[in-house]
Amino acid sequence: MVKNGAKIQVRLVNKVIFNEIYDPLIKFEKIDVTGVRRECHGLQIAKNERTCMFCAQSYPDVKFSKIAHAVSESIGNKTLFNHFECDKCNSAFGQKLEDAFGKYIAPFKFVSQIKGKNGTITIKDMPEDKELSYKTYRLERGSGSDSDKNYFPQDYIIEKSGRGIFRETEEGFAIEIPRNRYNPRLVYAALLKMGYSLLPIDLWDEYVIGITSLGLYVRNEHPFDNNTESEKYINGLPNKGILAQFPGINPLNGVSAFLYQRNEKAPCEYTKLLFRLDFFNFSILIPIVSDRETQCSKFVIPAFQNNPSISVIDFSKEEKIYTAYFSAEKIPIEKNMKETLALELRERGLLKKP
Ligand SMILES: [Zn+2]
């Protein structure tokens, strides 16, 4: 049995107080900070005694030798793990969902300066010209490190004219950050997987069809071994969410993950479970429907501090560009600095030879 689609219309409800509808269920804060490893259900289970929540298979039929991140590693999770995810499902989730999720959050990582292992974050299209390390644009943060190369900036945006990525505004500048092609529904599915991972065991009964359906989908197993059924499943997910954006430097204090549960007195037009992922300047909230819910139409937003800007995410539509606004002071560049910079840019394949 697989999960049928539930209808979710996102209507933002302002007059309702979030805390009157939802109770906090799970909260893991600062999971990006290296430190004590945590199993998200509060358990420590030996590898040869584990069972997978996504395929219901146990050791030794499936192995548990890989480290399963409860929240994606690509967003910066270093400490929160799941002992109920087998290697087979772990690989399938990685192959099927991580690419889309990574592409969707790339502009957010650029804005929040979440750098990769090499100390930089780069957004570019693929080179055609052998002399250049990009096709029409390259955005990079945190690359200038050589002490003798004083003129090379930490952050830069390079684009061929007419691409329209960088523009000046009254307060500073705006960047239209392009995303590489991705399937937005897989981004919802990636977030859904994180929400399921955190779900307390005593609630699994209410979500078991949803959890196993997602597992079958990522593993391409029956009935999702054909395109029609796969499409039907992924299109039938709620595919809605809320994005809250906070100004400043790391206003959300790193990466945190939350689940909220509708309290018993609240009307059932609100989805029973919400997953929230906070990372640096951004918070994403998605509804997670239980196996019995089919119509949940309202969304109420937590009382965020610092007045973020709030928008609805429609995961059935690809958002090719994310626009980020920055405040900045403009300073002139001296002529000799320009020449040195041009030289550096040529050395790095960022500017064509004259
Ligand atoms: Zn599994």
Side-chain angles (χ1 to χ4, degrees):
M1 189 169 172
V2 296
K3 182 91 179 82
N4 290 316
K7 280 250 167 15
I8 298 269
Q9 281 182 329
V10 175
R11 275 197 286 147
L12 302 179
V13 187
N14 289 326
K15 285 175 190 153
V16 179
I17 296 162
F18 185 83
N19 295 350
E20 288 176 1
I21 308 286
Y22 288 101
D23 295 326
L25 183 66
I26 291 292
K27 185 184 193 176
F28 289 106
E29 293 181 291
K30 292 190 187 181
I31 57 175
D32 56 314
V33 178
T34 314
V36 182
R37 288 169 165 252
R38 291 173 285 187
E39 200 288 325
C40 62
H41 308 91
L43 299 169
Q44 284 299 323
I45 307 166
K47 288 180 177 179
N48 58 5
E49 288 171 9
R50 293 184 193 174
T51 297
C52 178
M53 65 190 285
F54 298 103
C55 66
Q57 289 183 277
S58 303
Y59 184 91
D61 298 332
V62 286
K63 300 282 189 299
F64 293 85
S65 50
K66 291 180 188 162
I67 295 169
H69 287 78
V71 167
S72 176
E73 193 181 11
S74 64
I75 200 82
N77 171 31
K78 293 192 184 83
T79 53
L80 195 60
F81 304 99
N82 181 8
H83 281 187
F84 296 89
E85 185 181 321
C86 75
D87 291 357
K88 191 176 67 177
C89 291
N90 183 279
S91 300
F93 281 122
Q95 281 166 20
K96 194 105 177 182
L97 306 181
E98 275 299 315
D99 182 61
F101 184 68
K103 285 172 177 169
Y104 178 73
I105 61 166
F108 303 150
K109 290 170 79 168
F110 183 81
V111 169
S112 296
Q113 301 196 58
I114 308 171
K115 291 167 190 165
K117 279 170 189 154
N118 63 356
T120 64
I121 166 99
T122 307
I123 291 179
K124 59 169 185 165
D125 53 2
M126 299 312 275
E128 276 174 350
D129 187 333
K130 278 181 192 153
E131 280 184 44
L132 292 177
S133 63
Y134 59 95
K135 188 174 156 195
T136 57
Y137 63 88
R138 184 179 172 110
L139 291 69
E140 187 163 319
R141 301 198 83 169
S143 63
S145 57
D146 300 348
S147 55
D148 57 333
K149 292 180 177 177
N150 293 325
Y151 291 110
F152 203 76
Q154 282 283 319
D155 305 335
Y156 58 82
I157 299 159
I158 291 175
E159 58 175 313
K160 288 199 173 153
S161 63
R163 195 65 178 74
I165 290 175
F166 179 91
R167 70 184 143 87
E168 291 188 14
T169 61
E170 262 175 40
E171 298 79 27
F173 58 95
I175 317 177
E176 313 254 318
I177 307 174
R179 286 188 175 102
N180 288 321
R181 303 272 348 236
Y182 69 101
N183 179 344
R185 292 175 178 88
L186 298 180
V187 180
Y188 177 86
L191 292 160
L192 179 63
K193 186 258 178 178
M194 298 180 215
Y196 282 149
S197 299
L198 301 186
L199 193 66
I201 295 167
D202 60 351
L203 292 176
W204 285 5
D205 274 356
E206 294 177 54
Y207 296 88
V208 65
I209 299 172
I211 294 170
T212 48
S213 299
L214 182 62
L216 290 168
Y217 173 77
V218 295
R219 296 192 309 273
N220 305 316
E221 284 174 20
H222 183 78
F224 304 127
D225 46 3
N226 71 78
N227 278 343
T228 316
E229 289 302 315
S230 294
E231 288 287 304
K232 211 157 89 185
Y233 167 75
I234 203 80
N235 292 340
L237 294 175
N239 290 321
K240 290 285 183 340
I242 293 292
L243 175 69
Q245 308 175 67
F246 300 75
I249 295 167
N250 194 10
L252 293 172
N253 209 1
V255 184
S256 302
F258 311 77
L259 284 177
Y260 299 100
Q261 191 177 28
R262 190 185 69 220
N263 69 46
E264 279 166 17
K265 288 179 218 134
C268 58
E269 59 198 0
Y270 295 96
T271 313
K272 198 170 176 188
L273 194 69
L274 300 178
F275 170 63
R276 171 180 164 189
L277 180 64
D278 284 9
F279 48 105
F280 304 94
N281 296 82
F282 303 91
S283 181
I284 298 178
L285 199 74
I286 60 155
I288 296 181
V289 294
S290 67
D291 296 340
R292 297 181 68 174
E293 285 176 297
T294 52
Q295 292 279 342
C296 328
S297 59
K298 285 187 184 172
F299 224 171
V300 56
I301 301 164
F304 289 118
Q305 293 184 335
N306 306 329
N307 280 326
S309 63
I310 307 268
S311 52
V312 173
I313 312 170
D314 182 351
F315 289 108
S316 62
K317 294 197 178 89
E318 191 182 14
E319 290 178 28
K320 288 178 182 151
I321 287 173
Y322 171 77
T323 307
Y325 295 90
F326 295 85
S327 51
E329 190 190 335
K330 288 163 206 169
I331 53 165
I333 298 178
E334 288 166 33
K335 193 168 177 285
N336 66 331
M337 270 177 86
K338 273 187 187 169
E339 283 163 9
T340 319
L341 185 60
L343 207 68
E344 290 280 352
L345 290 168
R346 287 200 179 94
E347 255 180 43
R348 291 170 195 240
L350 299 170
L351 198 62
K352 272 198 157 187
K353 294 197 170 64

